[in-house]
Amino acid sequence: MFLRLADQHRQFVQDLVMNLQALAIVLERQGYLASCYTCGGQMNSASFMVSLGDNHLIRFLVSDYGITWTEMRDDRELMKLEGAEAISQLQELASLVKHQIKPSQYRPVIPAETLL
């Protein structure tokens, strides 16, 4: 059972890395500064970054050890999420692609629970 779960987790990470690579490409085509770097050919980790302008940066890290979303402005951390919450934040970035929002038009929405 545990070997099966470990294999499913590895596959999940690989799928997430492939989606991050695609998201970076599409965001770049829409005028965002975006990148996605992987280590090695196994696609078991990635560092995804996108600049939303005005010193506003998103960094998403994924590996077998964990998943984190960090949002920064002016070199200060605004929000840091892990696991499923971090992955959920990718939906907002995907919405930029879906609605073809340009970097100059982007206005971030900070979830209320991070303001507490």
Side-chain angles (χ1 to χ4, degrees):
M1 173 177 83
F2 294 109
L3 292 176
R4 180 181 55 81
L5 290 173
D7 189 50
Q8 287 176 344
H9 179 72
R10 276 191 286 283
Q11 185 61 49
F12 166 76
V13 169
Q14 289 174 348
D15 289 348
L16 185 53
V17 169
M18 285 190 297
N19 282 290
L20 288 171
Q21 289 176 322
L23 182 58
I25 290 168
V26 174
L27 285 169
E28 279 186 325
R29 289 180 183 162
Q30 288 193 1
Y32 289 88
L33 295 174
S35 63
C36 184
Y37 297 100
T38 61
C39 298
Q42 295 180 336
M43 308 263 296
N44 59 3
S45 65
S47 172
F48 170 88
M49 295 180 80
V50 61
S51 173
L52 301 175
D54 298 329
N55 294 318
H56 189 189
L57 181 71
I58 303 293
R59 182 179 64 215
F60 187 90
L61 303 173
V62 60
S63 73
D64 278 342
Y65 304 109
I67 296 167
T68 60
W69 165 285
T70 307
E71 189 166 348
M72 296 171 287
R73 188 180 294 266
D74 298 321
D75 295 325
R76 294 191 327 184
E77 191 174 288
L78 296 176
M79 174 172 54
K80 185 169 188 172
L81 302 171
E82 296 179 343
E85 289 178 331
I87 295 169
S88 293
Q89 283 298 114
L90 289 172
Q91 185 60 51
E92 186 174 339
L93 284 177
S95 293
L96 295 176
V97 173
K98 181 179 177 183
H99 300 295
Q100 298 181 352
I101 298 171
K102 300 295 179 199
S104 60
Q105 300 169 325
Y106 177 75
R107 298 291 176 261
V109 175
I110 299 174
E113 61 270 9
T114 63
L115 298 175
L116 300 175

